[in-house]
Amino acid sequence: MSSLCSSLIDDPLQSSLLDRVTRKRCRVSSMGSGSTNVTLQEHVISRDERADILGKYPGFRGCTIWFTGLSGAGKTTISFALERALNKMGVPCYGLDGDNVRHGLCKNLGFSKMDRSENIRRVAEVAKLFADMGIVTLASFISPFNEDREGARDIHTKEGLNFIEVYVSTPLEVCESRDPKKLYKKARAGEITGFTGIDSAYEPPEKPELVIDTGKETPAESVRRVLEYLRDISIIPDEAIKIYNQPEIRELFANDNERQSLIEQIPAMPRIDIGLVDLQWLQVLSEGWATPLYGFMRERQYLQSLHFGQLLDLKKKVVFAGEHDDGCRDEWVMDSPVNQSIPIVLPITDLQKTSIMEGAKEVASSIALFYNDSPVAVLSEGEVFPHRKEERVARQFGFTDPRHPTIGLILASGEWCLGGDVLERVRYNDGLDEFRKTPTELRKAIEDKGADAAFVFQLRNPIHNGHALLMQDTRQKLLANHRNPVLLLHPLGGWTKDDDVPLGVRIRQHAAVIDAKVLDPDWTILSIFPSPMLYAGPTEVQWHARARIAAGVQTYIVGRDPAGIQHPDTKDFLYEPTHGAKAHKMIFFDESRKEDFDFISGTRMRTLARTGQLPPDGFLVPAAWQILADYYKSLNST
Amino acid sequence: MSSLCSSLIDDPLQSSLLDRVTRKRCRVSSMGSGSTNVTLQEHVISRDERADILGKYPGFRGCTIWFTGLSGAGKTTISFALERALNKMGVPCYGLDGDNVRHGLCKNLGFSKMDRSENIRRVAEVAKLFADMGIVTLASFISPFNEDREGARDIHTKEGLNFIEVYVSTPLEVCESRDPKKLYKKARAGEITGFTGIDSAYEPPEKPELVIDTGKETPAESVRRVLEYLRDISIIPDEAIKIYNQPEIRELFANDNERQSLIEQIPAMPRIDIGLVDLQWLQVLSEGWATPLYGFMRERQYLQSLHFGQLLDLKKKVVFAGEHDDGCRDEWVMDSPVNQSIPIVLPITDLQKTSIMEGAKEVASSIALFYNDSPVAVLSEGEVFPHRKEERVARQFGFTDPRHPTIGLILASGEWCLGGDVLERVRYNDGLDEFRKTPTELRKAIEDKGADAAFVFQLRNPIHNGHALLMQDTRQKLLANHRNPVLLLHPLGGWTKDDDVPLGVRIRQHAAVIDAKVLDPDWTILSIFPSPMLYAGPTEVQWHARARIAAGVQTYIVGRDPAGIQHPDTKDFLYEPTHGAKAHKMIFFDESRKEDFDFISGTRMRTLARTGQLPPDGFLVPAAWQILADYYKSLNST
């Protein structure tokens, strides 16, 4: 079966998930260190060896950034902000300044020129050791004399370490006007002598690596300039800065200018009419629920999802040796794989495929997606690839029977998939749009409630008091470690099978439960999860949990047979209900509480309502039950 | 569908792969830092914040380990060894000693009592700063005076930092006999004055945290004691030490004592007779190809493999709230998930299940596995769970047709799986055992060839010159960065479908190719990969690559349609041949070389041989071809 044109993985670790996600760790050891007794090595560890276990990015980046300038110039302000930024990026750094040196290492030094020189020398020697360790060392000292600063530089350069002199050039009058510690005042009053700028000279650096005038730029701008300088001399990777500046949620909405020009261009574009389920996926994508996906999956992401259940990268195509690598054009930076157990693709038919092809191979550069005769998105850099529906269904559902509602839909869909980038927010104008909050909006809403934790309840059935009890219980559990856990009551709002309760009814029922304070409005947010239902069991549970992370939720509650369905023949659970819990690390809702509840499945609840019976006492607040009963009466009457 | 007894994931990140493998990183940011401009914070970063991005394990572990003792006592030797051990564990550390201090920070100090005190004081101040950064700081200085050492301790304790005084108590006469730098000699000769132990006092510590006598223990033993002390005071996690002491390959062989007592107990155990394919999997497991699996999968690992394609942990069962957590008894420490795209299970029938049950629920604690009427392994703490063959086949193969050879086998196998721990090495006595090297043996063999890199060629067909050219070409590529890349020629030796060439024939054919120096014996190792064949395409490619990592191989070569097979109806590729490459990060064998080769698939080669034709010139060395031709002749003549 193996043929001449063969492939070669450069380091299977690299290509296997194992390492893609533990690159740095694996440098320590991929499967344990293996040494069962210590082997002596009579030399210190190399900088590279140390760098391997330091910080988020591999590689040695030890250096010293030396801030010099008058008292009050803003050295420490910028240095602290820079320290915070670097730390957030995962770049180990440490600040040396008067505070942690003058009271310790240099406490036996005064402010004579000689003592000042010795002070700077000692600081420089310590900074050198930190830099040698691989730390980005931030030293902020007035260090008024060129000779001393040059000495500090020499101490580093002769050890092959970067020394970056940053002159904070704030003019004396500005510093004196700030005078936080009233030192200038005292100096002017003669209470302090030898004070730099007053009765002691400040020698500006002759060739500083950077000059910062805090009068001309904000500290944030200064920090950004230092970061860019550090990137330019390869102290910090470009990746780090990009991730640092990247929002957490990737929304795919066009900004106003883009939207305007797109609307003008749409008439000239080939058009694909999409169905409701496609529209719902479009919403999922454009609102950032599947961050960092930037559109309907391309084949590369489709295969990663089917074979790894993850997004490993965002490249737009696979690149073969000899080909020009333009597979990396997506600008979003991923620093680790993201769970993506389900594919999000746009199936198209042969006919649709033909309609968007320019010649035999080229796909039109822009394609307009229409729903109900109005444009909902523009898809750019389209890619067409085989859907391979049978293989997809088997891998995604572990089951291939077309009587499964979602499998039926997929097998009936097009033979091809259209991948590409999308834009625009989806609206339904069904009176429920107010409940359709994007991940970004939900993060805001959770923040507005003053939450220090958020938990979500995933459901696609009416709530009863058992659910409510579960949510209250979860909040209690979380209150052990959190001040104010907020509940995201997050009914699934996309396509569901016909006999499920319609979204509108469910939302009114949920609202009634909240009005009745069964769920406290103070800590409950009701919003719609736009995803269509898959009935894919544990595979879908991964998606439901992962998507909620986008909304800033840390705790996920789900039914015992999550996303489950009956087997069309046996009527048993299609997926073993406990598998989700067994495969994942789940803590089960306290089983000892079971006897507190009458076991009523969504199915039984629907039957009760359909047949006009009343539920057991305490099952549901009357107002909320009425909404269900009315709905089913309306069905029967038709 | 959601019912009352519900489950709760504590932090979906925790339970989702996303985070299980990037725990530390996620503390920096799970999806990018999100801050698009720097927010100023007028305080330095907390130790915990720093710790989050430092080293392999989260948590602050800054401290100073102070080695004191006479010159030549072994302070630096132990300190260096400890530094190396900590670094290997992923614990950031830094050594301070005379070398990097006396020439820098303290170069303006002599050896008077006062200067010595100041020297120690400065070192202690610097050590404190390193400890504050989160670094395990190793200071080795004679530091003869209690007062100075107590001063160093105070400097740390008043900052809430651990100070660990290690007294290297080697007696003077031993130190003097070593006298590496001939200092004692000079001191005795009066060429040096104020030398500790000769004409200057050494005050032994009164309450050192540890005492080390290098006369009584080896440096390795000393290091181990320091490590254990650091674990006991929670400076380094127990996990780190366990991984450090853990071999890279997890073999499941019984040691001689165990084996003896097992052989005695076996007659009393319930017995399961296994088939050849099961035996081959037993071999795969016991030799450590599937490290860290410790036996046939339990349900937990089975589900992780089916749903995540990975081993996420080695717990023996899922633990529900309220239950006692004994799910963690396996002592092997996993610090990151391991790719496991295929399940390795032992299917058993209802009848077999009954035969090993003690009562309704309990499985016999030990079960003997027999092959051909002789015991091959003992399985302990057995667990029986449903095989769910249809779901397994769909997820594993993306295809469910029983005409697929492996799928056929699986669907015909038992309804249950028996999980548990296994022992014993498998031998076949078929004249090929010499070629069956375990991962550990292969690592040794690769090392013995003086290799600085190893690449593997996976095949289950005879080699022809095209393959050979590919392997030579790969070696050339690797020679760009390596001194001596060694080839592991690693034919699959487990079960294959009937029309594949038998293992014995292939091995003789491969050996002939090596004898003819088509593959240079100096850089080629021929060994058998014990795994049975699955014909599972890209899913199996993950297994084939991942298993070879156990043998210390970094580069993996595989055919273009790896583990592929024809569709029973269409006769097309069942798996799109390029999918493996598209989903993984693969570099393709230089396509421009294609025209150098006549494309001859394994199938075509077999046809030529079967029909007694000769291959094109240069396709294969005659001796190697003859072996094939003879084999097929023997088939025809029967």
Side-chain angles (χ1 to χ4, degrees), chain B residues 283 425 427 430-438 441-442 488-491 503 507-508 510-511 514 525-529:
Chain B
Q283 180 186 8
R425 179 162 187 172
R427 286 303 192 182
D430 56 358
L432 300 176
D433 282 337
E434 59 169 314
F435 291 102
R436 294 191 174 91
K437 294 195 178 65
T438 68
E441 290 167 343
L442 282 172
L488 172 58
L489 184 61
H490 213 202
L503 180 61
I507 293 299
R508 279 186 286 117
H510 299 344
I514 295 170
I525 297 169
L526 173 60
S527 184
I528 295 171
F529 178 48

mmCIF file of all heavy atoms in Angstrom, chain B residues 283 425 427 430-438 441-442 488-491 503 507-508 510-511 514 525-529:
data_model
loop_
_atom_site.group_PDB
_atom_site.id
_atom_site.type_symbol
_atom_site.label_atom_id
_atom_site.label_comp_id
_atom_site.label_asym_id
_atom_site.label_seq_id
_atom_site.Cartn_x
_atom_site.Cartn_y
_atom_site.Cartn_z
ATOM 1 N N GLN B 283 1.469 -8.019 23.520
ATOM 2 C CA GLN B 283 2.885 -7.708 23.323
ATOM 3 C C GLN B 283 3.104 -6.200 23.211
ATOM 4 O O GLN B 283 3.986 -5.633 23.853
ATOM 5 C CB GLN B 283 3.403 -8.410 22.071
ATOM 6 C CG GLN B 283 4.872 -8.146 21.783
ATOM 7 C CD GLN B 283 5.329 -8.742 20.464
ATOM 8 O OE1 GLN B 283 4.521 -9.227 19.673
ATOM 9 N NE2 GLN B 283 6.622 -8.708 20.223
ATOM 10 N N ARG B 425 6.586 -10.989 28.922
ATOM 11 C CA ARG B 425 6.988 -10.719 27.556
ATOM 12 C C ARG B 425 6.485 -11.821 26.622
ATOM 13 O O ARG B 425 6.482 -12.985 26.990
ATOM 14 C CB ARG B 425 8.512 -10.654 27.467
ATOM 15 C CG ARG B 425 9.016 -10.408 26.067
ATOM 16 C CD ARG B 425 10.441 -9.922 26.062
ATOM 17 N NE ARG B 425 10.838 -9.531 24.707
ATOM 18 C CZ ARG B 425 11.988 -8.923 24.436
ATOM 19 N NH1 ARG B 425 12.818 -8.634 25.428
ATOM 20 N NH2 ARG B 425 12.299 -8.600 23.201
ATOM 21 N N ARG B 427 6.697 -14.179 23.398
ATOM 22 C CA ARG B 427 7.614 -14.789 22.431
ATOM 23 C C ARG B 427 6.825 -15.659 21.475
ATOM 24 O O ARG B 427 5.818 -16.244 21.868
ATOM 25 C CB ARG B 427 8.670 -15.638 23.173
ATOM 26 C CG ARG B 427 9.731 -14.809 23.896
ATOM 27 C CD ARG B 427 10.431 -13.887 22.934
ATOM 28 N NE ARG B 427 11.639 -13.278 23.510
ATOM 29 C CZ ARG B 427 12.393 -12.387 22.849
ATOM 30 N NH1 ARG B 427 12.055 -12.027 21.624
ATOM 31 N NH2 ARG B 427 13.460 -11.873 23.408
ATOM 32 N N ASP B 430 9.124 -18.366 16.332
ATOM 33 C CA ASP B 430 8.898 -18.598 14.893
ATOM 34 C C ASP B 430 10.171 -18.254 14.120
ATOM 35 O O ASP B 430 10.148 -17.975 12.936
ATOM 36 C CB ASP B 430 7.749 -17.709 14.411
ATOM 37 C CG ASP B 430 8.015 -16.236 14.707
ATOM 38 O OD1 ASP B 430 9.070 -15.920 15.318
ATOM 39 O OD2 ASP B 430 7.168 -15.392 14.350
ATOM 40 N N GLY B 431 11.295 -18.209 14.869
ATOM 41 C CA GLY B 431 12.557 -17.886 14.208
ATOM 42 C C GLY B 431 12.750 -16.397 13.987
ATOM 43 O O GLY B 431 13.774 -15.956 13.477
ATOM 44 N N LEU B 432 11.740 -15.606 14.352
ATOM 45 C CA LEU B 432 11.848 -14.163 14.110
ATOM 46 C C LEU B 432 11.989 -13.376 15.417
ATOM 47 O O LEU B 432 12.113 -12.152 15.394
ATOM 48 C CB LEU B 432 10.605 -13.672 13.349
ATOM 49 C CG LEU B 432 10.363 -14.306 11.978
ATOM 50 C CD1 LEU B 432 9.045 -13.811 11.390
ATOM 51 C CD2 LEU B 432 11.518 -14.004 11.029
ATOM 52 N N ASP B 433 11.960 -14.062 16.533
ATOM 53 C CA ASP B 433 11.989 -13.345 17.810
ATOM 54 C C ASP B 433 13.203 -12.428 17.938
ATOM 55 O O ASP B 433 13.125 -11.365 18.552
ATOM 56 C CB ASP B 433 11.940 -14.339 18.980
ATOM 57 C CG ASP B 433 10.516 -14.866 19.215
ATOM 58 O OD1 ASP B 433 9.572 -14.165 18.803
ATOM 59 O OD2 ASP B 433 10.375 -15.973 19.771
ATOM 60 N N GLU B 434 14.320 -12.843 17.313
ATOM 61 C CA GLU B 434 15.519 -11.991 17.402
ATOM 62 C C GLU B 434 15.252 -10.596 16.814
ATOM 63 O O GLU B 434 15.908 -9.625 17.162
ATOM 64 C CB GLU B 434 16.687 -12.646 16.654
ATOM 65 C CG GLU B 434 16.377 -12.874 15.178
ATOM 66 C CD GLU B 434 17.609 -13.277 14.351
ATOM 67 O OE1 GLU B 434 18.665 -12.627 14.503
ATOM 68 O OE2 GLU B 434 17.497 -14.246 13.578
ATOM 69 N N PHE B 435 14.281 -10.513 15.902
ATOM 70 C CA PHE B 435 13.972 -9.226 15.274
ATOM 71 C C PHE B 435 12.940 -8.441 16.080
ATOM 72 O O PHE B 435 12.589 -7.330 15.729
ATOM 73 C CB PHE B 435 13.441 -9.430 13.847
ATOM 74 C CG PHE B 435 14.470 -9.928 12.882
ATOM 75 C CD1 PHE B 435 14.492 -11.253 12.505
ATOM 76 C CD2 PHE B 435 15.433 -9.063 12.375
ATOM 77 C CE1 PHE B 435 15.447 -11.718 11.616
ATOM 78 C CE2 PHE B 435 16.394 -9.513 11.491
ATOM 79 C CZ PHE B 435 16.403 -10.858 11.111
ATOM 80 N N ARG B 436 12.412 -9.054 17.138
ATOM 81 C CA ARG B 436 11.376 -8.380 17.911
ATOM 82 C C ARG B 436 12.004 -7.636 19.077
ATOM 83 O O ARG B 436 12.133 -8.172 20.163
ATOM 84 C CB ARG B 436 10.321 -9.384 18.384
ATOM 85 C CG ARG B 436 9.525 -9.993 17.234
ATOM 86 C CD ARG B 436 8.327 -10.766 17.715
ATOM 87 N NE ARG B 436 7.499 -11.212 16.588
ATOM 88 C CZ ARG B 436 7.662 -12.393 15.977
ATOM 89 N NH1 ARG B 436 8.606 -13.226 16.390
ATOM 90 N NH2 ARG B 436 6.883 -12.718 14.962
ATOM 91 N N LYS B 437 12.434 -6.428 18.832
ATOM 92 C CA LYS B 437 13.086 -5.630 19.871
ATOM 93 C C LYS B 437 12.058 -4.735 20.550
ATOM 94 O O LYS B 437 11.211 -4.131 19.895
ATOM 95 C CB LYS B 437 14.213 -4.795 19.278
ATOM 96 C CG LYS B 437 15.366 -5.628 18.736
ATOM 97 C CD LYS B 437 16.595 -4.763 18.491
ATOM 98 C CE LYS B 437 17.768 -5.590 18.001
ATOM 99 N NZ LYS B 437 17.480 -6.195 16.647
ATOM 100 N N THR B 438 12.149 -4.633 21.855
ATOM 101 C CA THR B 438 11.258 -3.749 22.599
ATOM 102 C C THR B 438 11.735 -2.301 22.411
ATOM 103 O O THR B 438 12.880 -2.061 22.018
ATOM 104 C CB THR B 438 11.298 -4.075 24.097
ATOM 105 O OG1 THR B 438 12.601 -3.719 24.584
ATOM 106 C CG2 THR B 438 11.055 -5.548 24.351
ATOM 107 N N GLU B 441 14.950 -1.858 24.127
ATOM 108 C CA GLU B 441 16.074 -2.474 23.406
ATOM 109 C C GLU B 441 16.448 -1.647 22.175
ATOM 110 O O GLU B 441 17.628 -1.475 21.859
ATOM 111 C CB GLU B 441 15.700 -3.901 22.997
ATOM 112 C CG GLU B 441 15.599 -4.860 24.179
ATOM 113 C CD GLU B 441 14.920 -6.176 23.820
ATOM 114 O OE1 GLU B 441 14.245 -6.240 22.759
ATOM 115 O OE2 GLU B 441 15.055 -7.133 24.612
ATOM 116 N N LEU B 442 15.441 -1.098 21.505
ATOM 117 C CA LEU B 442 15.727 -0.306 20.307
ATOM 118 C C LEU B 442 16.472 0.984 20.672
ATOM 119 O O LEU B 442 17.406 1.384 19.988
ATOM 120 C CB LEU B 442 14.443 0.010 19.550
ATOM 121 C CG LEU B 442 13.908 -1.141 18.704
ATOM 122 C CD1 LEU B 442 12.525 -0.817 18.140
ATOM 123 C CD2 LEU B 442 14.869 -1.468 17.557
ATOM 124 N N LEU B 488 15.494 3.109 11.466
ATOM 125 C CA LEU B 488 14.814 1.944 12.010
ATOM 126 C C LEU B 488 13.880 1.414 10.924
ATOM 127 O O LEU B 488 12.867 2.036 10.610
ATOM 128 C CB LEU B 488 14.026 2.311 13.269
ATOM 129 C CG LEU B 488 13.106 1.223 13.845
ATOM 130 C CD1 LEU B 488 13.888 -0.040 14.185
ATOM 131 C CD2 LEU B 488 12.360 1.741 15.076
ATOM 132 N N LEU B 489 14.287 0.327 10.292
ATOM 133 C CA LEU B 489 13.441 -0.324 9.288
ATOM 134 C C LEU B 489 12.474 -1.218 10.056
ATOM 135 O O LEU B 489 12.879 -2.232 10.616
ATOM 136 C CB LEU B 489 14.311 -1.135 8.322
ATOM 137 C CG LEU B 489 13.594 -1.796 7.149
ATOM 138 C CD1 LEU B 489 12.932 -0.759 6.262
ATOM 139 C CD2 LEU B 489 14.563 -2.647 6.339
ATOM 140 N N HIS B 490 11.217 -0.815 10.111
ATOM 141 C CA HIS B 490 10.332 -1.321 11.142
ATOM 142 C C HIS B 490 9.047 -1.904 10.553
ATOM 143 O O HIS B 490 7.959 -1.326 10.719
ATOM 144 C CB HIS B 490 10.001 -0.165 12.098
ATOM 145 C CG HIS B 490 9.811 -0.598 13.509
ATOM 146 N ND1 HIS B 490 9.100 0.137 14.418
ATOM 147 C CD2 HIS B 490 10.228 -1.701 14.187
ATOM 148 C CE1 HIS B 490 9.099 -0.464 15.598
ATOM 149 N NE2 HIS B 490 9.770 -1.584 15.481
ATOM 150 N N PRO B 491 9.167 -3.061 9.878
ATOM 151 C CA PRO B 491 7.970 -3.661 9.285
ATOM 152 C C PRO B 491 6.945 -4.034 10.345
ATOM 153 O O PRO B 491 7.311 -4.495 11.424
ATOM 154 C CB PRO B 491 8.511 -4.926 8.598
ATOM 155 C CG PRO B 491 9.797 -5.231 9.308
ATOM 156 C CD PRO B 491 10.357 -3.886 9.682
ATOM 157 N N LEU B 503 4.962 -12.200 7.153
ATOM 158 C CA LEU B 503 6.058 -11.533 7.857
ATOM 159 C C LEU B 503 7.410 -12.187 7.571
ATOM 160 O O LEU B 503 8.377 -11.521 7.214
ATOM 161 C CB LEU B 503 5.773 -11.541 9.355
ATOM 162 C CG LEU B 503 6.821 -10.871 10.245
ATOM 163 C CD1 LEU B 503 6.963 -9.396 9.904
ATOM 164 C CD2 LEU B 503 6.459 -11.030 11.717
ATOM 165 N N ILE B 507 10.660 -10.283 6.158
ATOM 166 C CA ILE B 507 11.887 -10.090 6.936
ATOM 167 C C ILE B 507 13.089 -10.600 6.139
ATOM 168 O O ILE B 507 14.102 -9.909 6.002
ATOM 169 C CB ILE B 507 11.793 -10.811 8.305
ATOM 170 C CG1 ILE B 507 10.729 -10.146 9.174
ATOM 171 C CG2 ILE B 507 13.141 -10.787 9.009
ATOM 172 C CD1 ILE B 507 11.012 -8.686 9.497
ATOM 173 N N ARG B 508 12.962 -11.790 5.546
ATOM 174 C CA ARG B 508 14.097 -12.305 4.764
ATOM 175 C C ARG B 508 14.390 -11.373 3.605
ATOM 176 O O ARG B 508 15.538 -11.077 3.293
ATOM 177 C CB ARG B 508 13.789 -13.726 4.281
ATOM 178 C CG ARG B 508 14.034 -14.782 5.377
ATOM 179 C CD ARG B 508 13.867 -16.199 4.879
ATOM 180 N NE ARG B 508 12.456 -16.550 4.682
ATOM 181 C CZ ARG B 508 11.913 -16.860 3.506
ATOM 182 N NH1 ARG B 508 12.668 -16.856 2.423
ATOM 183 N NH2 ARG B 508 10.636 -17.156 3.421
ATOM 184 N N HIS B 510 13.791 -8.089 3.480
ATOM 185 C CA HIS B 510 14.427 -6.872 4.002
ATOM 186 C C HIS B 510 15.894 -7.144 4.311
ATOM 187 O O HIS B 510 16.782 -6.360 3.969
ATOM 188 C CB HIS B 510 13.723 -6.406 5.281
ATOM 189 C CG HIS B 510 12.279 -6.055 5.090
ATOM 190 N ND1 HIS B 510 11.715 -5.829 3.856
ATOM 191 C CD2 HIS B 510 11.282 -5.892 5.999
ATOM 192 C CE1 HIS B 510 10.437 -5.527 4.008
ATOM 193 N NE2 HIS B 510 10.140 -5.571 5.298
ATOM 194 N N ALA B 511 16.143 -8.312 4.935
ATOM 195 C CA ALA B 511 17.526 -8.659 5.297
ATOM 196 C C ALA B 511 18.392 -8.719 4.036
ATOM 197 O O ALA B 511 19.518 -8.214 4.010
ATOM 198 C CB ALA B 511 17.559 -9.992 6.037
ATOM 199 N N ILE B 514 19.406 -5.379 2.926
ATOM 200 C CA ILE B 514 20.477 -4.816 3.756
ATOM 201 C C ILE B 514 21.809 -5.507 3.446
ATOM 202 O O ILE B 514 22.841 -4.850 3.295
ATOM 203 C CB ILE B 514 20.121 -4.948 5.256
ATOM 204 C CG1 ILE B 514 18.894 -4.091 5.568
ATOM 205 C CG2 ILE B 514 21.291 -4.538 6.135
ATOM 206 C CD1 ILE B 514 18.303 -4.314 6.941
ATOM 207 N N ILE B 525 18.754 -0.392 11.267
ATOM 208 C CA ILE B 525 18.360 -1.415 12.239
ATOM 209 C C ILE B 525 17.057 -2.041 11.757
ATOM 210 O O ILE B 525 16.072 -1.329 11.528
ATOM 211 C CB ILE B 525 18.145 -0.800 13.641
ATOM 212 C CG1 ILE B 525 19.455 -0.207 14.174
ATOM 213 C CG2 ILE B 525 17.578 -1.837 14.596
ATOM 214 C CD1 ILE B 525 19.271 0.637 15.422
ATOM 215 N N LEU B 526 17.056 -3.349 11.567
ATOM 216 C CA LEU B 526 15.849 -4.050 11.153
ATOM 217 C C LEU B 526 15.183 -4.666 12.372
ATOM 218 O O LEU B 526 15.808 -5.421 13.108
ATOM 219 C CB LEU B 526 16.196 -5.144 10.132
ATOM 220 C CG LEU B 526 15.063 -6.092 9.724
ATOM 221 C CD1 LEU B 526 13.905 -5.329 9.103
ATOM 222 C CD2 LEU B 526 15.573 -7.155 8.752
ATOM 223 N N SER B 527 13.946 -4.279 12.609
ATOM 224 C CA SER B 527 13.221 -4.831 13.747
ATOM 225 C C SER B 527 11.736 -4.902 13.417
ATOM 226 O O SER B 527 11.284 -4.270 12.456
ATOM 227 C CB SER B 527 13.455 -3.964 14.994
ATOM 228 O OG SER B 527 12.827 -4.536 16.125
ATOM 229 N N ILE B 528 11.002 -5.688 14.181
ATOM 230 C CA ILE B 528 9.576 -5.912 13.907
ATOM 231 C C ILE B 528 8.716 -5.068 14.849
ATOM 232 O O ILE B 528 8.933 -5.062 16.051
ATOM 233 C CB ILE B 528 9.224 -7.399 14.077
ATOM 234 C CG1 ILE B 528 9.954 -8.234 13.021
ATOM 235 C CG2 ILE B 528 7.711 -7.615 13.987
ATOM 236 C CD1 ILE B 528 9.837 -9.733 13.237
ATOM 237 N N PHE B 529 7.766 -4.346 14.260
ATOM 238 C CA PHE B 529 6.780 -3.595 15.038
ATOM 239 C C PHE B 529 5.617 -4.546 15.338
ATOM 240 O O PHE B 529 4.945 -5.011 14.421
ATOM 241 C CB PHE B 529 6.313 -2.387 14.225
ATOM 242 C CG PHE B 529 5.264 -1.541 14.892
ATOM 243 C CD1 PHE B 529 5.403 -1.123 16.205
ATOM 244 C CD2 PHE B 529 4.131 -1.137 14.192
ATOM 245 C CE1 PHE B 529 4.442 -0.321 16.819
ATOM 246 C CE2 PHE B 529 3.161 -0.336 14.786
ATOM 247 C CZ PHE B 529 3.323 0.060 16.099
#
